Amino acid sequence: MAPLRLIWLALAIWGAIHPMSYFLQWFNENSYDLMAMVDAWHVNAATSGLVWDLTIAAVALTIWILVETISTKRWLNLIAILATFGIGVSCGLPLYLYLRSKPAKQSV
């Protein structure tokens, strides 16, 4: 595996584990109420700005993934959209870069 692919994979794993540890800690302290977490994200202008920054980045990433997946027909790459909205851009983006950097099959 190419070194850059290993970097993308490592970042995807880190981007899944590190943010999720904070989410789970928050849920354990504040109940498993998703709407309460959304309210916490908008506690002040700084956090609201971060939420919107990441939301716009997630939408842009999703459009990019959809356009490339339709043209390349690498349907497995769509899993990066689930990772983006289920975990975050910190996981979805490097996961997609890992998946898209896989060499295409050579026709013989």
Side-chain angles (χ1 to χ4, degrees):
M1 186 179 316
L4 189 56
R5 281 198 85 212
L6 287 174
I7 291 170
W8 297 142
L9 182 59
L11 286 171
I13 293 167
W14 183 23
I17 294 171
H18 198 160
M20 193 56 66
S21 69
Y22 288 100
F23 294 149
L24 292 175
Q25 178 184 350
W26 189 91
F27 280 130
N28 286 331
E29 293 172 0
N30 299 282
S31 81
Y32 285 81
D33 182 357
L34 186 59
M35 291 315 296
M37 179 177 251
V38 172
D39 289 340
W41 290 343
H42 293 283
V43 72
N44 60 46
T47 58
S48 289
L50 286 172
V51 167
W52 282 109
D53 180 65
L54 291 170
T55 300
I56 293 165
V59 170
L61 176 58
T62 298
I63 293 168
W64 179 33
I65 292 170
L66 289 171
V67 168
E68 281 201 347
T69 298
I70 290 168
S71 67
T72 63
K73 306 222 183 322
R74 289 182 165 190
W75 305 111
L76 179 63
N77 293 1
L78 293 174
I79 199 162
I81 295 173
L82 295 175
T84 298
F85 287 97
I87 300 169
V89 176
S90 62
C91 177
L93 176 59
L95 176 61
Y96 182 64
L97 293 172
Y98 169 76
L99 293 169
R100 82 184 291 268
S101 65
K102 179 180 178 186
K105 289 183 180 179
Q106 301 291 328
S107 57
V108 184

